[in-house]
Amino acid sequence: MSSSQVLLFVIVGKNEPLYEAEFHKSGTTGSSDSVTRQNYFVLHSALDLVEKAAWTTNQMYLKVIDKVNQQQVSTYLTAGNIKFMLLHGGRSEDSIKNFFNDVYELYVKLSMNPFYKYDTPITAKSFDTRVRAVARRYLG
């Protein structure tokens, strides 16, 4: 399976990943371990570029900040400096922006929950289910 059929979404806090999800195109199975590791490497290596791009704009949606092997890293930076990063094989900018906006809304609702401590890993199954539904809607 080619790595362009796999979308990797990560929410990164100040010191660690808070949430991770892999989305596969319908009809495909899981990716190999080496492809998965490469995808995580690409996302984590783009973190420095996110920090650099954050100083050049006041927009929350930073668009595509890195391109590696026909894959692109798009980023959304929240006001609390939480980074939403999506590794994809070239999706429409509107669908990615809508995906990030909807996930941001879910994240804000989660952070208002008194049982969720800010900047800690997200373990709520309902959050995962809703993020995956948003991904199916916008990222197909």
Side-chain angles (χ1 to χ4, degrees):
M1 178 173 91
S2 101
S3 59
S4 65
Q5 294 177 338
V6 176
L7 302 170
L8 182 60
F9 174 66
V10 178
I11 298 176
V12 182
K14 293 184 179 170
N15 298 317
E16 65 183 332
L18 306 180
Y19 173 80
E20 301 171 350
E22 244 183 49
F23 310 116
H24 303 276
K25 278 192 170 183
S26 58
T28 60
T29 59
S31 60
S32 71
D33 189 45
S34 63
V35 171
T36 299
R37 280 187 271 148
Q38 178 186 5
N39 289 345
Y40 278 100
F41 177 76
V42 169
L43 271 181
H44 285 89
S45 66
L47 282 171
D48 290 335
L49 297 172
V50 172
E51 296 296 330
K52 185 178 177 182
W55 288 100
T56 62
T57 182
N58 60 356
Q59 300 294 315
M60 294 175 82
Y61 178 51
L62 302 179
K63 301 182 181 179
V64 174
I65 59 158
D66 196 11
K67 295 179 183 179
V68 178
N69 298 335
Q70 295 88 32
Q71 293 181 310
Q72 300 174 357
V73 178
S74 295
T75 304
Y76 188 95
L77 188 63
T78 71
N81 202 31
I82 302 295
K83 299 155 205 73
F84 296 179
M85 301 177 73
L86 179 68
L87 179 70
H88 56 92
R91 297 274 193 257
S92 82
E93 195 171 304
D94 288 338
S95 64
I96 292 172
K97 186 175 182 178
N98 289 334
F99 169 75
F100 280 143
N101 284 331
D102 281 14
V103 172
Y104 180 59
E105 184 179 328
L106 293 172
Y107 180 76
V108 168
K109 287 178 182 177
L110 174 78
S111 63
M112 291 184 340
N113 183 335
F115 298 109
Y116 175 71
K117 185 178 176 195
Y118 177 75
D119 202 24
T120 58
I122 299 168
T123 57
K125 295 287 185 200
S126 60
F127 182 82
D128 181 61
T129 303
R130 290 180 179 136
V131 168
R132 290 180 185 281
V134 169
R136 276 192 301 277
R137 184 176 343 140
Y138 291 115
L139 306 175

